[in-house]
């Protein structure tokens, strides 16, 4: 799974990822935020982080 999130909701996303699979999620910062179309899954702001757990 991959969750896109803004700085405000990154902790929520991490919690969700840990709940889903009981391993530590990978937190990745999105570079060049202004050039990507991803939005936060919680509030719709531009996403700054990707929380991945695969
Ligand atoms: Zn958000």
């Amino acid at each position: 799974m991959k969750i896109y999130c803004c700085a405000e909701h990154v902790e929520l996303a991490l919690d969700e990822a840990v709940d889903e699979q009981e391993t530590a999620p990978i937190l990745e910062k999105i570079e060049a935020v202004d050039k990507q179309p991803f939005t936060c899954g919680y509030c719709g702001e531009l996403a700054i982080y990707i929380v991945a757990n695969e």
Side-chain angles (χ1 to χ4, degrees), residues 23-40:
T23 56
I26 300 157
L27 180 61
E28 195 180 312
K29 186 147 195 250
I30 302 172
E31 306 294 340
V33 168
D34 55 336
K35 294 195 182 74
Q36 53 83 28
F38 304 114
T39 52
C40 174

Side-chain angles (χ1 to χ4, degrees), residues 4-10 40-46:
Y4 295 93
C5 57
C6 69
E8 202 172 317
H9 292 109
V10 63
C40 174
Y42 302 96
C43 70
E45 294 289 317
L46 266 185

